[in-house]
Amino acid sequence: MISWLAYYDDVIGHMFVLMILAFSMYVVMRVGVFSVASIGFWAIAGYGAAIADQYDVPPLLIVGGALLVSGVFGLLLALLAVRLSGLSLTMVTIAFVLLLQVIVLNWEDVTGGSLGIFGLPVHIGTYGLLAVVIVVAVLLALYERGRTGRAQDSLLHDEQLAQSVGIDIRRQRIVALTLSALLGGLAGCLNVFQTGMMVSNEVGFHVVVDALTMVILGGTAAWYGPVIGAAILAWLPQMLSFADEWRLAVQGVIIVVVLVFAPQGAAGLIQRLARGVAAKRRSSLLKRREPQDVSA
Amino acid sequence: MSLLSIVDAQVRFGGVRAVDGVTISLERGNVHGLVGPNGSGKTTLVNAISGFARLHDGSVTLNDEQISGMRPDQIFTRGISRTFQSIRLLSTLTVRENILIGTDRARAEGDGRGAGKLLPRDAVNDRVDHAVALLGLEKFAGDFPSQLPYGLQRRVEIARSVASRPELILLDEPFAGMSRAERDELSDVLIEIADDGFTLLVIEHDMRIIHKICSHLFVMNFGRCIAEGSPRETAELEIVQEAYLGKQHGTA
Amino acid sequence: MALLEVAELDVNYGPLAAVRGLSLELEESQVAVILGTNGAGKTTTLNAISGAVRARSGTVSFDGRNVTNSAPWKISRSGLGHVPEGRRIVGPLTVEENLLVGAYNVRSRGRRSELIDDVFDTFPMLAEKRDELGGLLSGGQQQMLALGRALMAEPRALLMDEPSMGLAPIMVQHVMDAVQTIAARGIAVLMVEQNATAAFRVATEVYLIEHGEVILHGPVDQVQNSELVRRSFLGI
Amino acid sequence: MSGYFVDAMILGSIYALFTVGLSLSWGILGVLNLAHGSIFMAGALSAYMITSAGALPLAVVLPASMLVSGGLVVLMELVAFRPIRRRAANPLAAELPMAIASVGVSSVLVAFANNFTAGYSLSLPQDMFTVSSINILGLTITNIGALIVVFAIGLTVALGLYVARSRQGRALKVIAQDSYVGGLLGISMNRLALGTMFISGALAGCGGVLFSIHVNSMHAYMGEALLLKAFAVIVVGGIGSIWGAAIGAYVLAAAEVLAVVSVGVGMRDVVAFVLIIVILLARPQGLLSKRKWQRS
Amino acid sequence: APGADGGAPAEGASSLTIPLVFDATGAAGPFASEALRGAQLAITEVNEAGGIDGTLIEPVVTDSGSDPQQAAAAMNRAVRDNAPVVLYGSGSNMALAMAPIAQQASTPLIAVQSGAPGLLENGEYVYRSTPQQVLFHELQAQYLAEQGVERVAVLYNSDNETYNELGSEGYAAFGEEYGFSVESEGIMTADSDVSTVTSLLLESEPDAFVMLLQSNNNTVPERLRQLGFEGIIAGSISIGVPTLTAMGDLANGIVWPDTFAYDIECESGSAFVEAYEAEYGELPGSLGASGYDGARMMIEGMRNAPSLDAEGIQQGLQTVLESGFDEAATCEVWFDEERNPHSPARLLQWQDGAFSTIATE
Ligand SMILES: Nc1ncnc2c1ncn2[C@@H]1O[C@H](COP(=O)(O)OP(=O)(O)OP(=O)(O)O)[C@@H](O)[C@H]1O
Ligand SMILES: Nc1ncnc2c1ncn2[C@@H]1O[C@H](COP(=O)(O)OP(=O)(O)OP(=O)(O)O)[C@@H](O)[C@H]1O
Ligand SMILES: CC(C)C[C@H](N)C(=O)O
Ligand SMILES: [Mg+2]
Ligand SMILES: [Mg+2]
């Protein structure tokens, strides 16, 4: 067990980083905002951290800076984008990510262009990352319990209803977008700290797709959705290494199969099962109702 | 002093004057009826009060504070809640949770300016339990809305609005889809709520119910308020009979 | 043989039996009304007849053919119209387009415009709103549109789920008159209705259902005198 | 200068052939088919496979390839989209899972193509279609270029009229909104959805074959860059609008050619992404916006 | 315990597990998978000849997916498995991600291709086995000058470090040296529409058009023909015989510089071609030769190693740096002071379905 853990240390560490990225996507998706700006902040913070690291800035200062920058930019983006709804927002944020990619590739002196920045010190290990994931997950789980969770549900499914029960949808969205930016930045920074590099592969459409895949496979029904999604995405390539050049194909098939059987993702499936239990309890109640009970 | 005053309200959609210069006021503790032919602007008036439709002209004042121009959530915070003519429940939440979201953002009483603190959790739960019991939904509290028949979904919708204990409750055809016995049952509930000091504005086509629960009736046609007064007197008016009730329908 | 025959129909939602052993018959030109409290299984019955929910057992035959659990679109094409609960207007289509899709299986362009004119004659308010988007109509206007849309298919039998819901009294009368007119043309009508007073003016048969079972069935004048119906549905 | 005009016309026509089908399935069935690029590629690849069995003229190969690519999308509808749609809570909730599932399918197609071509670029045989230059209205254009323009305009107009005027076109809009009502009105959701998906795939396949003749090359990833461009095209035109997609295609092509010529090649990709951001922030509904149909 | 892809040797003490990390899939896939075949061939050959003093090499292949992070993870795993040496091919990005790990763990890493300039600066445990392309493109520049070319257009992939360097700086320098002017434009590998940029480059009326591209090597000539270009079309090693064959007439006259071609005239080279064809049923291309030479370099290092562990092989490889090695697909490989490899280069030209050598170094 110990040797297994040590052996797959980097996969496990990467999985934790992905979980934070998935959380970042999740907090906006949860309130019906289909933004993929997380990837943008992941990239901005990642390059920021890598560049600062080259100048031996203390790691904690880098994290602080990454959070500050993504928070501020996140807020600005949120104020700009909050009036867009649904897929328009998705498109704008995809364009934001792709634009960043063009910048990264062309601004070679700073970003290392298509190559990237390599050979940075590794600042955080698997246990450190685990601790961060636990803290974020607990905070999210607490945050979405009760009142806030219900508000998120109403934002996700019916804006007008949300407004009619006193929810300021604009404010909620700005909060969610900013929070998402913070988490995206944190994830990007930790990614560099864990791997010791930042490369242009980490920004672009396929990262958007990967991140979406995590959130959709895991589901947006509850905080454990992204945890499951990130775990799947981190381990699939490992488990499928036997398939050689067909690996991506096999991975594709697995994703399709999972989605066909659980279109709401793993978390949705879990909730559905719980719901099935609730329904069973109810039907026994109904049968016991006497006729005069109803017509009274 | 009236609880709510609407002065010369106008709502237009392109060329359609859905609400066309309505001036009415609602008195505290009363149940007000709002009737009128289909498309006469009743729902739009409720939308205008609750902030879902923009006024082109005129104003809405609640407790001397102008609320027209505010967002729906701000208006809710000031003590107005509403139901929708077409049912709006969240399929991912249970019946009880659907009712809870109506009260989650309710403010502690005594402030009225919308700046009060959110209600403590216990108080929220008490109010919701009360509303659940009032509308006879105890047995369905753990169900999901899609599993309920239409009539019960309506009750959940009403419970959500009532549970937050707002000063003014706007109900858009709450009796739709209910049988006569069920209507009677629900009308007793509404009377009880009014007796507790709440103010209601109820859109309804069933004149029998209107007569039973309302102390004051507004009649709309073509976006205007064409008559108001006690239900009995108002319903007798020829203009109301012609536009709304039809010839044979003199009495209930 | 009756135009629409339902025999021993059972419908379940998971473990819940929503309709149990329900049978009914409907002849051409006949108007039958289903009464029942909330949750009795009225909507479920209509949905099972038009194929929108699966029957667990029992048969539905229409025009002598067994259509139990056929696809809804097939049943609809065989001449059974359905005005659904809650109107279900297609929001982004205009009033006119909503009516035209009602006539999806009427191939002749000329016939379609005749049918539209008929609907506009019956509901002049819709003619005024011809180019308005369906989603923007008022509740009652949508109810008229839902009715008109079903008529566009030239059905031979029509299921109506609470057609008077959201209609002003004057419109309720108007709709019931319209029901009478179409029944006179030979169309069979099965309607679920809470406004029993209005429905009884045009109906010939009544089915009272409770907990998914028919507990009372008979011609209107008989059923009218039943204590249960008087108390719960007529308030006499 | 007229050379650049011809370039823009051809490029715009390729964008149009690609995007119109994508916009159709997305706007009407809510299927954002991220495998559309792979379907485009599959059209070209199938043309290659067909002609490698024996010399055939384009008039035979093109319809055959369209059949293949259309058939592939029909297959996707059957094994992935339909089951997901059926299991999802509501049409909106199915959109993202279907999009992610299409990514899965796409990786299967790409893996197949990649293994088939061993990663190389292939060329379609010259004897299938001989490219030569012709002169139309004083413009020099290759015959394949002219063919692309004619097909793009012809097919777009035909499809646009079909959706706007035919009874099936109206029915499509019903099932997009409410499949329950569609059934009650005698509309077969499944059949129409299959038809729509087939058309969308066949159009992509047509584009793929013509494009690979035009550039004398086809390879496994040939559709990927187009997919991102298609987002911009759809944003410009408004989701689901056939005319919008066509207009957006030519607008983007013209803007790109202009950017390359006047600013520089590096600016080319920036154009698409900046266009998305600017247009959506200025006009969230796209240039040809639809009327709002929801009220409270 | 750790999984199937590493750990204890499978067949007794006489075999040595060596990780081969290759970009089998992803952007670099087409190049690296051919290189991998070449590397595997060299290993099979040495095993069949009895291994290295009786020790067989047991290669374990890992796919980097052309992703630097995955490549780094594979390198980490190799270090944990105490791999004595790691062979990698072919993208620069991945090599750069692996190099610091190799250096820090004192595990020799031999990179095939990976032409990025900074790679060897990571330290003495990082090796490159194939010459950087800039070293033999000079031959092509010379040829262009001899043909009297005055204006050269260069279209390059700016997202591949090798071509980016060569396209944005290399050819400009050649131009100064050999007296031609250079116009260049960079595009992405994934760009599939090259029509406008080609027209743009032709506005300067060049006499030669150089393609430094990983893809589009067949679309650009088609476009050039459409535009009526009649000058010299020059390419690079990534054109490859299969693409040229598929292009038909269009490919006639195209030139490109290389260190290998299957008509290579030395004993080790033709032996390689023969063995490769026997093994895989097709003639090897430039990348297959690169992979073969990478594995050859590793094997030479092992032969010269005092012990078959990382430290020993490192010493062996240091010897190889000084002596170079022959038995290579590219005939011979030698190293300069910067530890960069060199092989004899030549310029090839395609005509009617076959190539011929038109110049040598
Ligand atoms: N958002 C809108 N856009 C366009 N027209 C609208 C809009 N909202 C309402 N209308 C129109 O305004 C008029 C009034 O509608 P409203 O919904 O207020 O009527 P209502 O009195 O509630 O009718 P009903 O009893 O049928 O519900 C109708 O003609 C309706 O079509
Ligand atoms: N989708 C569903 N899932 C589970 N149970 C359902 C579902 N739809 C209806 N039911 C249950 O089936 C029973 C019958 O419902 P139905 O909608 O047919 O009643 P109804 O007679 O039409 O009532 P109403 O007058 O309120 O419309 C009810 O107990 C209801 O809770
Ligand atoms: C064309 C490729 C073989 C070039 C290689 N990727 C390098 O970086 O050197
Ligand atoms: Mg209304
Ligand atoms: Mg019902």
Side-chain angles (χ1 to χ4, degrees):
Chain A
M1 188 62 195
I2 296 299
S3 70
W4 182 87
L5 279 181
Y7 193 71
Y8 285 111
D9 190 55
D10 44 7
V11 181
I12 297 169
H14 189 55
M15 172 179 81
F16 291 145
V17 172
L18 287 184
M19 281 178 187
I20 298 169
L21 179 62
F23 282 142
S24 158
M25 300 280 284
Y26 165 81
V27 293
V28 281
M29 298 271 200
R30 183 79 177 84
V31 293
V33 178
F34 296 110
S35 157
V36 299
S38 300
I39 310 304
F41 293 107
W42 152 278
I44 292 176
Y47 274 104
I51 292 161
D53 229 350
Q54 287 175 317
Y55 294 99
D56 295 320
V57 179
L60 273 179
L61 208 63
I62 296 182
V63 176
L67 289 179
L68 189 74
V69 170
S70 6
V72 170
F73 274 94
L75 186 63
L76 285 179
L77 183 82
L79 291 173
L80 204 65
V82 69
R83 65 203 195 88
L84 295 179
S85 58
L87 290 164
S88 302
L89 186 65
T90 318
M91 284 300 150
V92 166
T93 49
I94 287 180
F96 166 60
V97 172
L98 296 177
L99 212 54
L100 277 177
Q101 185 183 26
V102 177
I103 294 173
V104 161
L105 289 176
N106 287 302
W107 201 10
E108 275 179 55
D109 300 344
V110 175
T111 61
S114 64
L115 285 181
I117 300 168
F118 297 93
L120 306 170
V122 170
H123 290 306
I124 190 163
T126 307
Y127 292 105
L129 289 168
L130 176 62
V132 178
V133 169
I134 290 177
V135 169
V136 175
V138 168
L139 288 179
L140 276 183
L142 287 177
Y143 179 66
E144 72 185 27
R145 258 178 3 148
R147 200 171 262 176
T148 319
R150 285 190 290 274
Q152 289 170 331
D153 266 316
S154 68
L155 282 161
L156 182 58
H157 297 291
D158 190 341
E159 283 180 21
Q160 289 198 336
L161 170 62
Q163 286 191 299
S164 83
V165 295
I167 295 166
D168 181 348
I169 54 177
R170 199 182 124 88
R171 198 171 131 235
Q172 295 278 334
R173 300 227 148 123
I174 291 175
V175 168
L177 279 163
T178 311
L179 195 63
S180 164
L182 282 174
L183 286 171
L186 178 65
C189 185
L190 293 177
N191 182 37
V192 171
F193 283 3
Q194 187 226 351
T195 58
M197 62 176 126
M198 184 66 200
V199 293
S200 61
N201 287 43
E202 297 296 319
V203 47
F205 188 62
H206 80 99
V207 192
V208 170
V209 170
D210 280 356
L212 276 174
T213 307
M214 290 193 287
V215 182
I216 301 302
L217 281 184
T220 48
W223 64 270
Y224 46 83
V227 171
I228 301 173
I232 298 177
L233 210 75
W235 284 102
L236 260 189
Q238 294 300 318
M239 296 185 307
L240 297 178
S241 56
F242 67 89
D244 288 336
E245 72 263 39
W246 292 103
R247 195 188 65 199
L248 286 177
V250 177
Q251 188 166 329
V253 170
I254 291 178
I255 287 174
V256 173
V257 170
V258 172
L259 287 174
V260 163
F261 289 100
Q264 319 287 64
L269 196 67
I270 293 172
Q271 294 209 334
R272 251 222 325 261
L273 294 178
R275 216 167 125 158
V277 175
K280 269 211 184 86
R281 226 179 28 234
R282 180 185 90 91
S283 71
S284 54
L285 266 174
L286 254 190
K287 274 191 200 117
R288 267 185 266 117
R289 274 203 297 165
E290 300 301 322
Q292 63 265 38
D293 222 31
V294 198
S295 46
Chain B
M1 186 199 75
S2 308
L3 173 66
L4 184 95
S5 316
I6 303 173
V7 180
D8 193 29
Q10 296 214 20
V11 181
R12 292 196 289 268
F13 300 105
V16 179
R17 294 167 176 264
V19 173
D20 192 10
V22 169
T23 303
I24 59 174
S25 51
L26 306 185
E27 304 305 322
R28 214 177 288 275
N30 277 3
V31 179
H32 305 81
L34 178 56
V35 301
N38 296 119
S40 57
K42 305 179 295 294
T43 300
T44 307
L45 187 63
V46 163
N47 284 348
I49 299 173
S50 57
F52 284 96
R54 206 167 58 85
L55 283 186
H56 281 79
D57 212 342
S59 68
V60 182
T61 330
L62 177 78
N63 285 326
D64 277 346
E65 185 187 12
Q66 180 169 333
I67 58 168
S68 39
M70 289 184 183
R71 293 191 313 267
D73 55 284
Q74 295 171 318
I75 294 176
F76 171 89
T77 312
R78 284 168 178 69
I80 298 182
S81 91
R82 67 168 295 182
T83 66
F84 292 93
Q85 185 169 4
S86 47
I87 291 173
R88 290 200 140 137
L89 298 172
L90 295 178
S91 58
T92 50
L93 298 182
T94 62
V95 164
R96 192 187 149 79
E97 288 168 333
N98 263 291
I99 300 171
L100 269 168
I101 66 167
T103 312
D104 279 337
R105 303 271 148 181
R107 308 281 157 160
E109 267 148 310
D111 182 287
R113 295 262 135 199
K117 278 202 168 133
L118 288 181
L119 274 184
R121 211 178 288 272
D122 295 349
V124 171
N125 280 324
D126 287 349
R127 287 186 182 188
V128 168
D129 290 341
H130 181 69
V132 166
L134 204 59
L135 285 144
L137 291 168
E138 295 97 329
K139 284 173 181 157
F140 307 99
D143 291 349
F144 290 88
S146 63
Q147 300 171 319
L148 296 188
Y150 190 89
L152 288 179
Q153 292 188 20
R154 275 238 161 265
R155 291 183 189 217
V156 181
E157 178 97 8
I158 298 164
R160 182 181 63 216
S161 167
V162 166
S164 62
R165 298 171 78 81
E167 284 196 87
L168 174 60
I169 305 171
L170 311 171
L171 301 175
D172 198 347
E173 302 196 16
F175 298 94
M178 294 188 186
S179 72
R180 186 181 176 109
E182 287 156 346
R183 284 166 195 239
D184 285 333
E185 203 183 329
L186 182 61
S187 54
D188 291 338
V189 171
L190 295 191
I191 292 171
E192 202 180 317
I193 291 173
D195 287 345
D196 281 349
F198 296 96
T199 310
L200 276 75
L201 177 66
V202 182
I203 300 179
E204 182 47 51
H205 290 301
D206 184 343
M207 288 306 283
R208 194 178 63 85
I209 295 290
I210 293 284
H211 287 300
K212 181 172 166 195
I213 63 173
C214 297
S215 52
H216 197 86
L217 181 63
F218 303 104
V219 185
M220 286 185 75
N221 198 14
F222 294 116
R224 298 176 165 275
C225 181
I226 56 167
E228 71 170 290
S230 85
R232 202 146 293 281
E233 290 162 14
T234 314
E236 295 295 322
L237 296 173
E238 196 176 333
I239 177 174
V240 176
Q241 294 268 331
E242 233 169 66
Y244 184 59
L245 297 169
K247 283 145 254 127
Q248 308 105 307
H249 224 279
T251 52
Chain C
M1 188 176 171
L3 182 62
L4 176 69
E5 272 188 31
V6 177
E8 295 296 321
L9 186 71
D10 277 330
V11 182
N12 277 33
Y13 292 111
L16 169 80
V19 172
R20 292 183 278 183
L22 184 139
S23 303
L24 58 82
E25 283 191 11
L26 197 62
E27 309 277 357
E28 282 176 13
S29 284
Q30 203 176 28
V31 179
V33 59
I34 299 181
L35 295 179
T37 47
N38 293 146
K42 307 180 293 295
T43 298
T44 306
T45 304
L46 295 198
N47 276 336
I49 294 175
S50 56
V53 302
R54 274 194 80 76
R56 197 172 66 134
S57 62
T59 55
V60 178
S61 30
F62 182 62
D63 199 15
R65 282 189 318 161
N66 185 343
V67 296
T68 323
N69 291 335
S70 295
W73 62 272
K74 285 188 187 152
I75 296 181
S76 159
R77 280 185 194 191
S78 65
L80 188 75
H82 187 157
V83 182
E85 181 171 56
R87 311 184 286 263
R88 311 288 281 253
I89 293 306
V90 184
L93 293 189
T94 64
V95 167
E96 181 171 3
E97 287 172 317
N98 265 288
L99 291 174
L100 284 173
V101 287
Y104 181 63
N105 290 309
V106 177
R107 305 277 167 146
S108 142
R109 199 177 271 268
R111 182 73 195 125
R112 286 202 295 258
S113 59
E114 278 171 37
L115 286 165
I116 288 212
D117 291 342
D118 284 353
V119 172
F120 285 159
D121 279 347
T122 317
F123 300 112
M125 196 180 273
L126 292 182
E128 269 168 48
K129 297 268 169 189
R130 188 178 193 132
D131 295 319
E132 186 61 276
L133 296 182
L136 300 178
L137 297 189
S138 81
Q141 290 164 345
Q142 289 190 351
Q143 187 68 49
M144 296 174 216
L145 182 54
L147 233 72
R149 183 177 65 185
L151 292 175
M152 289 292 294
E154 303 196 278
R156 298 180 37 223
L158 194 54
L159 311 178
M160 304 168 95
D161 205 338
E162 308 206 23
S164 78
M165 188 193 289
L167 292 182
I170 198 169
M171 264 334 274
V172 175
Q173 289 170 35
H174 188 67
V175 165
M176 291 305 160
D177 291 345
V179 167
Q180 209 151 33
T181 317
I182 59 175
R185 292 206 307 249
I187 298 173
V189 177
L190 177 61
M191 66 175 158
V192 167
E193 191 46 78
Q194 296 289 12
N195 188 342
T197 322
F200 283 1
R201 282 208 303 116
V202 297
T204 49
E205 293 280 309
V206 180
Y207 293 86
L208 178 59
I209 66 178
E210 199 57 84
H211 292 254
E213 286 174 303
V214 177
I215 57 169
L216 189 65
H217 164 220
V220 169
D221 26 348
Q222 260 173 43
V223 172
Q224 251 173 349
N225 300 321
S226 127
E227 181 53 31
L228 188 59
V229 170
R230 291 166 71 92
R231 179 158 49 83
S232 300
F233 295 96
L234 294 169
I236 307 174
Chain D
M1 214 54 229
S2 69
Y4 292 121
F5 174 74
V6 171
D7 282 356
M9 272 311 277
I10 297 176
L11 186 61
S13 299
I14 290 161
Y15 286 164
L17 275 176
F18 185 89
T19 313
V20 165
L22 186 69
S23 181
L24 184 74
S25 67
W26 188 7
I28 289 188
L29 298 173
V31 179
L32 170 53
N33 188 0
L34 294 175
H36 204 72
S38 307
I39 297 296
F40 178 84
M41 177 274 293
L45 183 65
S46 64
Y48 181 87
M49 292 166 86
I50 293 167
T51 47
S52 68
L56 287 168
L58 183 64
V60 177
V61 176
L62 186 61
S65 302
M66 287 169 74
L67 218 60
V68 171
S69 50
L72 279 173
V73 183
V74 163
L75 211 64
M76 289 176 73
E77 164 72 14
L78 290 177
V79 303
F81 304 144
R82 183 184 292 180
I84 291 177
R85 212 182 283 123
R86 206 174 49 218
R87 284 192 173 86
N90 58 58
L92 219 62
E95 284 197 10
L96 268 178
M98 288 194 292
I100 299 299
S102 70
V103 175
V105 176
S106 178
S107 42
V108 176
L109 290 174
V110 169
F112 175 81
N114 217 359
N115 284 322
F116 180 85
T117 62
Y120 291 112
S121 296
L122 307 176
S123 304
L124 290 173
Q126 308 272 328
D127 48 10
M128 181 179 83
F129 186 89
T130 317
V131 178
S132 59
S133 285
I134 51 175
N135 219 302
I136 301 173
L137 307 171
L139 296 176
T140 312
I141 184 170
T142 57
N143 52 358
I144 183 70
L147 208 58
I148 289 175
V149 175
V150 169
F151 264 82
I153 295 177
L155 289 174
T156 309
V157 169
L159 192 66
L161 289 179
Y162 175 73
V163 170
R165 299 278 169 81
S166 70
R167 50 192 270 279
Q168 286 88 351
R170 275 191 301 271
L172 280 171
K173 294 184 200 153
V174 177
I175 56 174
Q177 215 55 47
D178 189 339
S179 58
Y180 167 79
V181 161
L184 296 188
L185 297 179
I187 301 165
S188 162
M189 163 94 183
N190 286 345
R191 273 202 216 169
L192 271 183
L194 283 183
T196 309
M197 296 310 282
F198 179 84
I199 292 175
S200 123
L203 280 173
C206 174
V209 175
L210 296 179
F211 180 70
S212 62
I213 298 174
H214 173 61
V215 301
N216 187 39
S217 163
M218 57 133 314
H219 56 93
Y221 300 95
M222 66 190 279
E224 303 213 328
L226 271 178
L227 189 66
L228 299 183
K229 298 291 170 67
F231 289 159
V233 168
I234 291 179
V235 162
V236 172
I239 296 163
S241 158
I242 307 286
W243 306 124
I247 293 170
Y250 291 102
V251 168
L252 179 65
E256 282 189 359
V257 169
L258 212 66
V260 171
V261 175
S262 59
V263 195
V265 180
M267 279 297 116
R268 177 184 180 139
D269 290 324
V270 178
V271 169
F273 310 141
V274 169
L275 206 62
I276 293 182
I277 294 178
V278 169
I279 286 188
L280 283 181
L281 290 181
R283 256 189 90 89
Q285 263 70 45
L287 287 185
L288 301 185
S289 62
K290 291 195 222 143
R291 284 151 85 193
K292 269 182 93 95
W293 54 271
Q294 257 155 335
R295 50 170 293 192
S296 27
Chain E
D5 47 346
E11 297 165 46
S14 64
S15 88
L16 188 61
T17 305
I18 306 286
L20 307 189
V21 182
F22 276 76
D23 313 324
T25 58
F31 305 108
S33 33
E34 190 187 328
L36 176 59
R37 287 199 288 274
Q40 283 169 322
L41 178 66
I43 292 171
T44 312
E45 279 178 5
V46 74
N47 281 343
E48 275 168 7
I52 293 157
D53 298 330
T55 306
L56 300 183
I57 297 175
E58 195 183 313
V60 175
V61 181
T62 308
D63 175 14
S64 76
S66 304
D67 173 7
Q69 289 204 354
Q70 282 187 48
M75 187 68 216
N76 273 320
R77 204 110 356 113
V79 168
R80 271 179 226 134
D81 285 338
N82 291 319
V85 59
V86 175
L87 186 64
Y88 165 74
S90 64
S92 303
N93 313 26
M94 281 54 75
L96 282 170
M98 296 164 76
I101 302 167
Q103 179 64 27
Q104 215 197 353
S106 304
T107 305
L109 166 68
I110 302 172
V112 173
Q113 288 293 337
S114 313
L119 179 64
L120 298 184
E121 286 160 25
N122 276 288
E124 69 274 21
Y125 283 87
V126 181
Y127 299 87
R128 178 159 35 218
S129 63
T130 31
Q132 289 166 287
Q133 292 198 43
V134 60
L135 297 175
F136 49 87
H137 267 269
E138 180 147 15
L139 194 60
Q140 181 151 285
Q142 249 168 14
Y143 168 78
L144 294 179
E146 281 162 19
Q147 298 298 306
V149 163
E150 288 173 3
R151 285 175 303 274
V152 174
V154 179
L155 184 63
Y156 63 95
N157 281 147
S158 51
D159 53 350
N160 173 283
E161 191 51 25
T162 304
Y163 288 141
N164 191 32
E165 286 277 327
L166 202 52
S168 61
E169 285 157 32
Y171 266 83
F174 294 149
E176 261 168 38
E177 196 176 336
Y178 296 102
F180 50 75
S181 68
V182 175
E183 275 300 320
S184 66
E185 294 285 1
I187 58 171
M188 297 285 156
T189 307
D191 276 354
S192 45
D193 178 70
V194 292
S195 36
T196 311
V197 68
T198 316
S199 309
L200 197 65
L201 278 168
L202 288 196
E203 277 188 356
S204 62
E205 298 185 349
D207 320 300
F209 196 104
V210 181
M211 309 183 293
L212 305 173
L213 301 171
Q214 299 195 93
S215 69
N216 286 323
N217 281 306
N218 46 355
T219 59
V220 173
E222 167 68 26
R223 179 66 185 159
L224 288 171
R225 174 165 73 180
Q226 285 172 13
L227 293 170
F229 175 76
E230 282 172 348
I232 300 171
I233 303 180
S236 74
I237 58 166
S238 40
I239 287 195
V241 171
T243 307
L244 287 163
T245 314
M247 283 160 75
D249 288 351
L250 201 54
N252 281 346
I254 292 183
V255 295
W256 76 100
D258 207 334
T259 53
F260 173 84
Y262 55 68
D263 66 347
I264 196 156
E265 283 167 353
C266 62
E267 212 177 296
S268 60
S270 34
F272 160 71
V273 174
E274 205 173 297
Y276 190 98
E277 200 181 0
E279 183 82 17
Y280 302 112
E282 61 183 36
L283 287 164
S286 185
L287 271 295
S290 301
Y292 184 84
D293 285 358
R296 289 292 318 146
M297 178 176 181
M298 177 182 81
I299 290 162
E300 282 310 306
M302 292 165 93
R303 287 219 171 105
N304 289 312
S307 59
L308 285 181
D309 52 16
E311 214 34 60
I313 294 178
Q314 169 68 4
Q315 281 180 38
L317 284 168
Q318 292 291 336
T319 324
V320 175
L321 280 188
E322 264 145 47
S323 60
F325 60 101
D326 27 35
E327 286 188 69
T330 53
C331 299
E332 52 178 326
V333 178
W334 68 94
F335 296 84
D336 59 25
E337 309 86 75
E338 265 105 45
R339 299 186 291 135
N340 267 316
H342 296 257
S343 293
R346 54 189 175 139
L347 193 66
L348 303 163
Q349 184 166 42
W350 189 264
Q351 193 67 47
D352 301 326
F355 58 80
S356 54
T357 305
I358 55 171
T360 49
E361 217 168 15

